[in-house]
Coordinates of all heavy atoms in Angstrom, one line a residue:
T221 N 5.1 2.7 4.6 CA 4.2 3.8 4.3 C 2.9 3.3 3.6 O 1.8 3.7 3.9 CB 4.9 4.9 3.4 OG1 6.1 5.3 4.1 CG2 4.0 6.0 3.1
V222 N 3.1 2.5 2.6 CA 1.9 1.9 1.9 C 1.0 1.1 2.9 O -0.2 1.3 2.9 CB 2.3 1.0 0.7 CG1 1.2 0.2 0.1 CG2 2.9 1.9 -0.4
A223 N 1.6 0.4 3.7 CA 0.8 -0.4 4.7 C 0.1 0.6 5.7 O -1.1 0.4 5.9 CB 1.8 -1.3 5.5
A224 N 0.8 1.6 6.1 CA 0.1 2.5 7.1 C -1.0 3.3 6.4 O -2.1 3.4 7.0 CB 1.1 3.5 7.6
L225 N -0.8 3.8 5.2 CA -1.8 4.5 4.5 C -3.0 3.6 4.1 O -4.2 4.0 4.2 CB -1.3 5.2 3.2 CG -0.3 6.3 3.5 CD1 0.4 6.8 2.2 CD2 -1.0 7.5 4.1
T226 N -2.7 2.3 3.8 CA -3.8 1.4 3.5 C -4.6 1.2 4.8 O -5.8 1.2 4.8 CB -3.2 0.0 3.0 OG1 -2.5 0.3 1.8 CG2 -4.3 -1.0 2.8
A227 N -3.9 1.0 5.9 CA -4.6 0.7 7.2 C -5.5 1.9 7.6 O -6.6 1.7 8.2 CB -3.6 0.5 8.3
L228 N -5.0 3.1 7.3 CA -5.9 4.3 7.6 C -7.2 4.2 6.9 O -8.2 4.6 7.5 CB -5.2 5.6 7.2 CG -4.0 6.1 8.1 CD1 -3.3 7.3 7.5 CD2 -4.5 6.4 9.5
G229 N -7.2 3.8 5.7 CA -8.4 3.6 4.9 C -9.0 4.8 4.3 O -9.9 4.7 3.5
Y230 N -8.6 6.0 4.6 CA -9.2 7.2 4.1 C -8.2 8.1 3.4 O -8.6 9.1 2.8 CB -9.8 8.0 5.2 CG -8.9 8.4 6.3 CD1 -8.0 9.5 6.2 CD2 -8.8 7.7 7.5 CE1 -7.2 9.9 7.2 CE2 -8.0 8.1 8.5 CZ -7.1 9.2 8.3 OH -6.3 9.5 9.3
A231 N -6.9 7.8 3.3 CA -5.9 8.6 2.7 C -5.6 8.1 1.3 O -4.4 7.9 1.0 CB -4.6 8.7 3.6
I232 N -6.6 8.0 0.5 CA -6.4 7.3 -0.8 C -5.5 8.1 -1.7 O -4.6 7.5 -2.4 CB -7.8 7.0 -1.4 CG1 -8.6 6.1 -0.5 CG2 -7.6 6.4 -2.8 CD1 -8.0 4.8 -0.1
P233 N -5.7 9.4 -1.8 CA -4.7 10.2 -2.7 C -3.3 10.0 -2.3 O -2.4 9.7 -3.2 CB -5.1 11.6 -2.6 CG -6.6 11.6 -2.2 CD -6.7 10.3 -1.3
Q234 N -3.0 10.0 -1.0 CA -1.6 9.8 -0.5 C -1.2 8.4 -0.8 O 0.0 8.1 -1.1 CB -1.5 10.2 0.9 CG -1.8 11.7 1.2 CD -3.2 12.1 1.2 OE1 -4.1 11.3 1.3 NE2 -3.5 13.4 1.2
L235 N -2.1 7.4 -0.6 CA -1.8 6.0 -0.8 C -1.3 5.8 -2.3 O -0.3 5.1 -2.6 CB -3.0 5.1 -0.5 CG -2.8 3.6 -0.8 CD1 -1.6 3.0 -0.1 CD2 -4.1 2.9 -0.5
K236 N -2.1 6.4 -3.2 CA -1.7 6.3 -4.6 C -0.3 6.9 -4.9 O 0.5 6.3 -5.6 CB -2.7 7.0 -5.5 CG -4.0 6.3 -5.6 CD -5.0 7.1 -6.5 CE -6.4 6.5 -6.4 NZ -7.3 7.4 -7.2
V237 N 0.0 8.0 -4.3 CA 1.3 8.6 -4.4 C 2.4 7.6 -3.9 O 3.4 7.4 -4.6 CB 1.4 9.9 -3.7 CG1 2.9 10.4 -3.5 CG2 0.6 11.0 -4.4
H238 N 2.1 7.0 -2.8 CA 3.2 6.1 -2.2 C 3.2 4.7 -2.9 O 4.2 4.1 -2.8 CB 3.0 6.1 -0.7 CG 3.6 7.4 -0.1 ND1 4.9 7.6 0.0 CD2 3.0 8.5 0.3 CE1 5.1 8.8 0.5 NE2 4.0 9.4 0.7
I239 N 2.1 4.3 -3.5 CA 2.2 3.1 -4.3 C 3.1 3.3 -5.4 O 4.0 2.5 -5.7 CB 0.8 2.6 -4.7 CG1 0.0 2.1 -3.6 CG2 0.9 1.5 -5.8 CD1 -1.5 1.8 -3.9
N240 N 2.9 4.5 -6.1 CA 3.9 4.9 -7.1 C 5.3 5.0 -6.6 O 6.2 4.5 -7.2 CB 3.5 6.2 -7.8 CG 2.6 6.1 -8.9 OD1 2.9 5.4 -9.9 ND2 1.4 6.7 -8.8
G241 N 5.4 5.6 -5.4 CA 6.8 5.7 -4.8 C 7.4 4.3 -4.5 O 8.6 4.1 -4.8
A242 N 6.6 3.4 -4.0 CA 7.1 2.0 -3.8 C 7.6 1.4 -5.1 O 8.6 0.8 -5.1 CB 6.0 1.2 -3.1
L243 N 6.8 1.5 -6.1 CA 7.3 1.0 -7.4 C 8.5 1.7 -7.9 O 9.4 1.1 -8.5 CB 6.1 1.2 -8.5 CG 4.9 0.3 -8.2 CD1 3.7 0.8 -9.1 CD2 5.1 -1.1 -8.4
N244 N 8.6 3.0 -7.6 CA 9.8 3.8 -8.0 C 11.1 3.3 -7.4 O 12.2 3.4 -7.9 CB 9.6 5.3 -7.8 CG 8.6 5.9 -8.7 OD1 8.2 5.4 -9.7 ND2 8.1 7.1 -8.3
V245 N 11.0 2.8 -6.1 CA 12.2 2.4 -5.4 C 12.4 0.9 -5.3 O 13.1 0.4 -4.5 CB 12.2 3.0 -3.9 CG1 12.2 4.6 -4.0 CG2 11.0 2.6 -3.1
G246 N 11.7 0.2 -6.2 CA 12.0 -1.2 -6.3 C 10.9 -2.3 -5.9 O 11.1 -3.5 -6.1
C247 N 9.8 -1.8 -5.4 CA 8.7 -2.8 -5.1 C 8.1 -3.3 -6.4 O 8.0 -2.6 -7.4 CB 7.6 -2.2 -4.2 SG 8.1 -2.0 -2.5
T248 N 7.7 -4.5 -6.4 CA 7.0 -5.1 -7.5 C 5.5 -5.0 -7.3 O 5.0 -4.8 -6.2 CB 7.3 -6.6 -7.7 OG1 6.8 -7.3 -6.6 CG2 8.8 -6.8 -7.9
K249 N 4.7 -5.1 -8.4 CA 3.3 -5.2 -8.3 C 2.9 -6.3 -7.3 O 2.0 -6.1 -6.5 CB 2.7 -5.5 -9.7 CG 1.2 -5.6 -9.8 CD 0.8 -5.9 -11.2 CE -0.7 -6.2 -11.2 NZ -1.2 -6.6 -12.5
E250 N 3.5 -7.4 -7.4 CA 3.2 -8.5 -6.5 C 3.4 -8.2 -5.0 O 2.6 -8.5 -4.1 CB 4.0 -9.8 -6.9 CG 3.6 -10.4 -8.2 CD 4.1 -9.6 -9.4 OE1 5.1 -8.8 -9.3 OE2 3.5 -9.7 -10.5
E251 N 4.5 -7.5 -4.7 CA 4.7 -7.0 -3.3 C 3.7 -6.1 -2.9 O 3.2 -6.1 -1.7 CB 6.1 -6.4 -3.2 CG 7.2 -7.4 -3.3 CD 8.6 -6.8 -3.4 OE1 8.8 -5.8 -4.1 OE2 9.5 -7.4 -2.8
I252 N 3.2 -5.2 -3.7 CA 2.2 -4.2 -3.4 C 0.9 -5.0 -3.0 O 0.2 -4.7 -2.0 CB 1.9 -3.2 -4.5 CG1 3.1 -2.4 -4.8 CG2 0.7 -2.3 -4.2 CD1 3.6 -1.4 -3.8
M253 N 0.6 -6.0 -3.9 CA -0.6 -6.8 -3.6 C -0.5 -7.5 -2.3 O -1.5 -7.6 -1.5 CB -0.9 -7.8 -4.8 CG -1.0 -7.1 -6.1 SD -2.3 -5.8 -6.1 CE -3.7 -6.8 -6.1
E254 N 0.7 -8.0 -2.0 CA 0.9 -8.7 -0.7 C 0.7 -7.8 0.5 O 0.2 -8.2 1.6 CB 2.2 -9.4 -0.6 CG 2.3 -10.6 -1.5 CD 1.3 -11.7 -1.1 OE1 1.1 -12.0 0.1 OE2 0.8 -12.4 -2.0
I255 N 1.1 -6.5 0.4 CA 0.9 -5.6 1.4 C -0.6 -5.4 1.7 O -1.0 -5.4 2.8 CB 1.6 -4.2 1.1 CG1 3.1 -4.3 1.0 CG2 1.2 -3.1 2.1 CD1 3.8 -3.1 0.3
M256 N -1.3 -5.3 0.6 CA -2.8 -5.1 0.8 C -3.4 -6.3 1.4 O -4.3 -6.2 2.3 CB -3.5 -4.9 -0.6 CG -3.0 -3.7 -1.3 SD -3.0 -2.2 -0.4 CE -2.0 -1.1 -1.4
M257 N -3.0 -7.5 1.1 CA -3.5 -8.7 1.7 C -3.2 -8.8 3.2 O -4.0 -9.1 4.0 CB -3.0 -10.0 1.0 CG -3.3 -9.9 -0.5 SD -4.1 -11.2 -1.3 CE -3.7 -12.7 -0.6
Q258 N -1.9 -8.4 3.5 CA -1.5 -8.3 4.9 C -2.4 -7.4 5.7 O -2.8 -7.6 6.9 CB -0.1 -7.9 5.0 CG 0.5 -7.9 6.4 CD 0.9 -9.3 6.9 OE1 0.9 -10.3 6.1 NE2 1.1 -9.4 8.2
M259 N -2.8 -6.2 5.1 CA -3.6 -5.2 5.8 C -5.0 -5.7 6.0 O -5.6 -5.2 6.9 CB -3.6 -3.9 5.0 CG -2.2 -3.2 5.0 SD -1.6 -2.9 6.7 CE -0.4 -4.2 6.9
A260 N -5.5 -6.7 5.2 CA -6.8 -7.2 5.5 C -6.8 -7.9 6.9 O -7.9 -7.8 7.6 CB -7.2 -8.3 4.4
V261 N -5.7 -8.4 7.3 CA -5.7 -9.1 8.6 C -5.7 -8.0 9.7 O -6.4 -8.2 10.7 CB -4.4 -9.9 8.7 CG1 -4.2 -10.5 10.1 CG2 -4.4 -11.0 7.7
Y262 N -4.9 -7.0 9.6 CA -4.7 -6.0 10.7 C -5.6 -4.8 10.6 O -5.8 -4.1 11.6 CB -3.2 -5.7 10.8 CG -2.4 -6.9 11.2 CD1 -1.7 -7.6 10.3 CD2 -2.4 -7.3 12.5 CE1 -1.1 -8.8 10.7 CE2 -1.8 -8.4 12.9 CZ -1.1 -9.1 12.0 OH -0.4 -10.3 12.4
A263 N -6.0 -4.4 9.4 CA -6.8 -3.2 9.2 C -8.2 -3.5 8.8 O -9.1 -2.6 8.8 CB -6.1 -2.2 8.3
G264 N -8.5 -4.7 8.4 CA -9.8 -5.1 8.0 C -10.0 -5.1 6.4 O -9.2 -4.5 5.7

C-alpha cells in the first residue's frame, strides 16, 4: 500500500495514514525509507 500510494504521487494524506499503518504492523523506519528508494526506480 505504501509503495502504491507513493507511486501515485498525489495521495499524500492517504500515504501518511498508511506509513503510520505500516509502522503499526511492524515495519521499521528503515523499511519505509527503502520502499521510497525503490519507488524512485519505478515511479520516478
Side-chain angles (χ1 to χ4, degrees):
T221 302
V222 168
L225 291 170
T226 301
L228 285 174
Y230 59 80
I232 302 304
Q234 294 80 13
L235 176 57
K236 289 178 189 176
V237 167
H238 284 282
I239 290 170
N240 270 302
L243 294 167
N244 291 343
V245 296
C247 283
T248 64
K249 176 182 174 183
E250 293 75 21
E251 288 171 322
I252 300 294
M253 301 308 286
E254 287 299 321
I255 294 167
M256 301 307 165
M257 304 234 328
Q258 184 77 15
M259 290 304 98
V261 175
Y262 293 99

